[in-house]
Amino acid sequence: MRIVLTAGFDRARHAVAIAELARRAGHTVAAVIVVRALRVRRVKQFVRQRGAGGLVDAARRFVGGAPRETADSEVEALLVQESIAERSLSAWCRRHGVPLRAVADLNAPNTVEFLRALRVDGVVYGGGGILRRPFLEAADGRVLNAHSGPLPDVRGMNACEWALLLGAPPAITIHVIDEGIDTGGVLEVVPIAVEPGDTLARLRGKCVVAGVRGLVRALGVLAGPLPRRAPAAASRRQCFTLAPVLRELLEQRLEARGGA
Amino acid sequence: MSQLTLQTLELYARHRRASLDWLVRSIEHGAGGSCAHFSIALGWSHPYPETTGYVIPTLLANQAELPELGLREHALACGRWLLSIQNSDGSWNGGLHPCKGAAKPSVFNTGQILKGMLALHRADAGPEFLNAASRGAEWLVSRAAADGLWGGGDYRASQTPSYYTHVLWPMLDTWLETGERSVRDSVERGVATVLARIRPNGVIAHWGFTDEPRAFTHTIAYALRGLLECSRILGAWDDVGARTVPALEKLLRRAELDGGRLAGEFDDDWRPKARYECLTGSAQTAINLLLWEHNEPDLRIVNAAAKLVDRVCATQHLTHPLAGVRGAVAGSWPIWGRYMTLRYPNWAAKYHVDALARLSARIEREAESACASS
């Protein structure tokens, strides 16, 4: 398959893993579109949603610093396991001669035109913000995403955490992106095992790694018709970032279950 | 296994204690009641009968946990003061006490004071409190129009605002104690009238202070709370309480999208009409979300309530050198916003305490259920 990959920032390690594993699986990455991270609006929105702590974590990832115990640790382990040397999309693109386009907004008209002109089989979403109709139309509705929770039950942000809180079995879902929030057709739901010693960060990491592998595995479906949105997909209440008190509660629950 | 302890709950306890300390100070400066507000420029205001009435249940609810604050004694003192200023027809006057101009009985204020009277009655403080509540409720019934509301309005609007559901609720609560059927019948008519004002987008027409198509979150929350509480007492979630859900869904989403910051005012299409936050409205909305969640359990609703509460906590000074600011909750944030500009109202502290208590209890229940199942 000939694909385009999106990412929220250049040092998105999971996106590097998707690009490389897709290449190794015989697919062609026609271009990588990266959203420029340092935009005032984006930073403000980020702080409002995730607080200053979230910004510190993001800044650490942005500069490529050694990940503390976050989901990045698991992704780093995947890169090592798969002998992937690059830690940024720009480095990966340089090595493989793939065009890298840095954009202000995935939904901006020039980004949409760029995508349309590539005439690819599909897009793999590796981050970059909510996709609007023009982008989805330019991709002919063929955009795949790995969601860190079981769909349609747990849609929205912090899905791995919410699955645990809501008593749903932790899982990731490979699905098609449509105009709703995590409402597109489902391709595969992959269970995530909760093991002794697991922390929230580790579980999130497991979800990201399972998502990377799931997306690469799913690329073949871009050759045929894709599943459509289930009728009740949007009826479940959307999840948002966890409030500190619920995050703390969940961490302690995990600990009580024999976790870290 | 031992009970889980959460640092966030300990933080909530500190904020709750600080606000209760502040409420006690507002009573100590209030010559009988609780001062309506503190302002850095003007100091403590006169006492406010309306909000003194509904501060009483908050004081009593926290007595067992914080006996050293003498909250029951303060509640009793406030209650006796309110008895001393009740009109012979059972009503209470509007405004601060003493009134600046001619005293005028107030429907809304009488309704709020009923809450204090009932709380004291239920705390075995004496039969005089139920008697006062009963007389107040009878006065409200006697003044109600055929639609169960109070035609002609009572504050700044041309017709009874929809937040007068906050009067229907204590009337119904009084009926629970007295069994006086005329009170319940009148309330049911009023509830039906307000339910008919609900638009498809969840907005309840006339829920603001004025006839303008915009409202503070404070009065939006009043209107919704009144319906939620009437629904609870009537056992009518499907017919009454559930009708508030479209509005609550909107408020939840707004709160979540902005990390707990809720615009202080909305128009009739849910467009934010303010850059400031009305903190008491945020705390009240958190309570309403938790009341909704009680009927339709979902931690995603609790999450939004927690963000609203966290946001109010973030604006609160716990160590400010001025006693009138320490533990207070501002009317607006930033404090120069349009709602209670540059003032710290006692109702903001009261609703903050109530929201913290409800949220903490909900989280503790969740933690206990996790302990029990592990």
Side-chain angles (χ1 to χ4, degrees):
Chain A
M1 293 295 113
R2 210 166 153 267
I3 59 165
V4 160
L5 173 67
T6 73
F9 56 103
D10 182 41
R11 291 176 191 271
R13 295 168 199 228
H14 71 286
V16 174
I18 293 170
E20 177 59 15
L21 294 179
R23 189 191 67 80
R24 289 182 191 174
H27 302 290
T28 301
V29 180
V32 173
I33 306 177
V34 177
V35 178
R36 283 194 287 268
L38 289 177
R39 296 182 66 232
V40 174
R41 234 177 95 189
R42 197 171 173 204
V43 173
K44 268 172 79 175
Q45 178 75 5
F46 193 92
V47 173
R48 286 200 153 193
Q49 286 190 343
R50 304 197 194 180
L55 186 66
V56 170
D57 282 343
R60 195 192 300 267
R61 291 203 303 277
F62 179 70
V63 298
R68 48 176 202 172
E69 211 216 348
T70 65
D72 284 359
S73 316
E74 298 294 316
V75 181
E76 180 63 28
L78 169 70
L79 293 172
V80 171
Q81 184 190 343
E82 295 290 343
S83 304
I84 300 173
E86 293 80 17
R87 292 296 180 271
S88 72
L89 287 162
S90 50
W92 184 86
C93 285
R94 265 198 310 277
R95 177 165 178 187
H96 299 287
V98 172
L100 181 137
R101 177 125 174 164
V103 301
D105 182 353
L106 288 178
N107 302 297
N110 53 355
T111 312
V112 170
E113 268 320 299
F114 174 73
L115 172 63
R116 200 189 310 276
L118 287 169
R119 305 175 68 83
V120 290
D121 296 311
V123 173
V124 175
Y125 179 81
I130 291 173
L131 299 180
R132 307 289 176 199
R133 180 179 289 177
F135 186 99
L136 296 173
E137 283 177 353
D140 198 21
R142 307 177 79 73
V143 185
L144 303 186
N145 179 45
H147 172 70
S148 291
L151 289 177
D153 292 333
V154 182
R155 62 190 196 94
M157 302 179 80
N158 288 177
C160 170
E161 290 90 329
W162 275 113
L164 291 164
L165 267 177
L166 297 172
I172 63 112
T173 307
I174 306 299
H175 70 104
V176 180
I177 292 185
D178 68 6
E179 285 188 70
I181 302 291
D182 302 321
T183 50
V186 170
L187 290 160
E188 186 186 13
V189 178
V190 182
I192 302 293
V194 182
E195 295 163 302
D198 275 350
T199 58
L200 267 186
R202 195 169 305 163
L203 276 170
R204 278 180 71 93
K206 282 185 181 181
C207 288
V208 176
V209 170
V212 168
R213 294 197 184 281
L215 280 170
V216 174
R217 202 165 49 239
L219 287 176
V221 303
L222 290 170
L226 296 176
R228 308 187 81 166
R229 174 195 288 214
S235 65
R236 311 300 208 284
R237 181 166 290 122
Q238 189 181 336
C239 299
F240 294 90
T241 53
L242 274 187
V245 70
L246 286 180
R247 179 169 294 281
E248 200 187 345
L249 177 70
L250 181 55
E251 276 166 353
Q252 292 210 3
R253 264 190 196 176
L254 268 179
E255 220 173 301
R257 278 164 67 159
Chain B
M1 82 152 282
S2 63
Q3 189 172 342
L4 299 174
T5 53
L6 300 176
Q7 287 177 358
T8 316
L9 289 187
E10 289 167 13
L11 180 71
Y12 287 167
R14 286 202 292 280
H15 281 274
R16 179 150 53 127
R17 164 73 191 244
S19 283
L20 283 163
D21 277 336
W22 186 91
L23 282 171
V24 167
R25 284 196 288 280
S26 81
I27 293 165
E28 287 166 350
H29 286 84
S34 169
C35 296
H37 47 77
F38 177 83
S39 101
I40 292 173
L42 301 170
W44 294 97
S45 73
H46 286 298
Y48 195 11
E50 173 202 325
T51 55
T52 298
Y54 65 42
V55 160
I56 289 172
T58 298
L59 300 176
L60 292 171
N62 288 277
Q63 163 64 26
E65 219 169 306
L66 295 164
E68 68 275 18
L69 293 183
L71 298 174
R72 183 181 167 89
E73 289 68 34
H74 287 296
L76 266 169
C78 289
R80 290 194 192 107
W81 176 71
L82 288 168
L83 287 179
S84 74
I85 59 171
Q86 186 175 25
N87 296 324
S88 58
D89 60 5
S91 67
W92 277 270
N93 294 334
L96 306 190
H97 186 84
C99 288
K100 274 185 190 164
K104 184 182 161 207
S106 162
V107 167
F108 193 77
N109 294 14
T110 297
Q112 307 322 298
I113 293 168
L114 294 190
K115 292 173 192 161
M117 299 294 107
L118 289 170
L120 285 164
H121 162 68
R122 287 168 179 159
D124 297 324
E128 62 272 32
F129 295 107
L130 181 60
N131 181 42
S134 176
R135 288 170 54 228
E138 279 169 25
W139 179 79
L140 288 167
V141 172
S142 74
R143 293 287 303 266
D147 64 358
L149 300 183
W150 294 269
D154 199 57
Y155 190 43
R156 297 185 211 156
S158 61
Q159 57 181 310
T160 307
S162 297
Y163 64 80
Y164 274 46
T165 56
H166 225 253
V167 176
L168 300 173
W169 156 32
M171 288 172 71
L172 201 52
D173 216 9
T174 307
W175 163 78
L176 272 184
E177 297 297 330
T178 64
E180 180 53 54
R181 186 73 211 185
S182 63
V183 174
R184 178 176 169 144
D185 290 345
S186 183
V187 169
E188 284 183 331
R189 287 193 294 275
V191 168
T193 303
V194 175
L195 288 176
R197 292 178 173 185
I198 299 179
R199 296 176 178 160
N201 69 354
V203 164
I204 307 178
H206 312 297
W207 62 6
F209 277 136
T210 69
D211 292 329
E212 281 185 76
R214 61 193 282 176
F216 291 117
T217 51
H218 171 55
T219 59
I220 289 173
Y222 265 166
L224 297 172
R225 176 83 184 266
L227 289 178
L228 287 164
E229 296 289 359
C230 286
S231 150
R232 174 181 59 80
I233 297 169
L234 293 168
W237 174 253
D238 289 344
D239 294 333
V240 180
R243 302 283 307 278
T244 65
V245 169
L248 292 168
E249 287 273 17
K250 292 275 184 194
L251 291 161
L252 177 153
R253 191 169 174 77
R254 288 280 179 190
E256 284 283 13
L257 287 175
D258 242 349
R261 290 172 178 82
L262 198 59
E265 296 174 58
F266 287 96
D267 72 9
D268 282 358
D269 291 315
W270 289 110
R271 283 185 294 249
K273 299 301 283 182
R275 294 178 71 90
Y276 66 88
E277 298 156 70
C278 167
L279 295 178
T280 183
S282 294
Q284 290 171 261
T285 301
I287 294 169
N288 287 341
L289 292 176
L290 293 168
L291 287 168
W292 167 28
E293 202 266 347
H294 182 75
N295 287 281
E296 295 179 357
D298 186 336
L299 285 173
R300 285 169 284 205
I301 303 174
V302 177
N303 197 61
K307 286 183 183 173
L308 287 166
V309 167
D310 289 350
R311 178 66 192 147
V312 179
C313 286
T315 68
Q316 198 180 16
H317 294 285
L318 298 187
T319 55
H320 198 282
L322 272 180
V325 176
R326 190 167 59 247
V329 176
S332 289
W333 197 262
I335 196 168
W336 53 83
R338 202 165 84 93
Y339 183 74
M340 293 298 291
T341 310
L342 302 175
R343 283 169 289 176
Y344 296 88
N346 68 354
W347 55 99
K350 173 249 172 8
Y351 285 115
H352 188 43
V353 170
D354 291 353
L356 283 163
R358 273 183 192 274
L359 177 61
S360 300
R362 177 66 183 91
I363 298 293
E364 277 163 14
R365 267 207 318 282
E366 194 64 30
E368 279 163 17
S369 70
C371 286
S373 62
S374 64

